């Protein structure tokens, strides 16, 4: 393998590291969420650690019900805020941070809703266990 490719991972390894199905990784590429940084001469996708981080972030948003557009927006916001080559000015930074904060609040609300659903499910499991336990 060429020196410039040794730090790249093929899609199968990325799927193992992220827990995302190959189909989802390809879908995220098509949607502009996380594209491979390179391809082999044979056309195989090659991903860097940064590409994998983007996929992991998208994978964390997915169970919270974020749309592909929202995932892309969150990643674009964080990319822009972290930009070193062309950092945002103070006004732009404030706007970006406000938008990102609205996503943070949405994540926290969705997490709380999931915790409430989990508590109800645990209550049901406990009730069912109670019906299975012999009365002493």
């Amino acid at each position: 393998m060429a020196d410039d490719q040794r730090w790249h991972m093929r899609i199968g390894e990325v799927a193992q590291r992220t827990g995302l199905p190959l189909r989802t990784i390809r879908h995220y590429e098509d949607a502009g969420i996380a594209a491979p940084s390179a391809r082999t001469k044979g056309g195989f996708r090659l991903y860097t650690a940064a590409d994998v981080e983007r996929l992991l972030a998208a994978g964390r948003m997915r169970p919270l019900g974020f749309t592909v557009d929202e995932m892309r927006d969150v990643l674009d916001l964080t990319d822009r805020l972290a930009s070193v080559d062309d950092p945002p000015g103070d006004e732009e930074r404030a706007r970006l941070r406000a938008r990102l904060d609205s996503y943070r609040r949405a994540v926290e609300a969705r997490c709380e809703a999931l915790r409430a659903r989990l508590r109800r499910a645990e209550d049901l499991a406990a009730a069912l266990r109670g019906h299975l336990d012999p009365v002493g």
Side-chain angles (χ1 to χ4, degrees), residues 108 110-120 122:
E108 289 175 357
R110 291 174 189 191
C111 286
E112 183 51 44
L114 285 171
R115 282 190 286 276
R117 288 180 64 193
L118 179 59
R119 284 190 298 272
R120 288 191 301 272
E122 288 171 338

Side-chain angles (χ1 to χ4, degrees), residues 1-38:
M1 184 177 288
D3 286 347
D4 61 340
Q5 291 182 2
R6 71 176 166 199
W7 302 111
H8 288 87
M9 293 166 269
R10 289 191 179 193
I11 195 169
E13 184 179 353
V14 171
Q16 285 181 318
R17 286 183 181 219
T18 62
L20 296 171
L22 297 175
R23 182 176 170 172
T24 299
I25 295 170
R26 290 185 191 107
H27 173 67
Y28 287 167
E29 176 185 354
D30 293 341
I33 290 175
S37 291

Side-chain angles (χ1 to χ4, degrees), residues 121-132:
E122 288 171 338
D123 289 345
L124 175 59
L128 293 174
R129 275 192 307 276
H131 290 291
L132 293 172

Side-chain angles (χ1 to χ4, degrees), residues 51-85:
D51 300 331
V52 171
E53 285 302 315
R54 287 181 71 82
L55 286 165
L56 285 168
R60 288 188 294 265
M61 289 184 261
R62 183 175 164 198
L64 294 174
F66 280 89
T67 67
V68 168
D69 288 338
E70 290 169 327
M71 290 178 194
R72 188 181 323 101
D73 192 37
V74 167
L75 292 168
D76 289 348
L77 286 168
T78 57
D79 286 348
R80 184 67 187 120
L81 283 166
S83 178
V84 176
D85 295 335

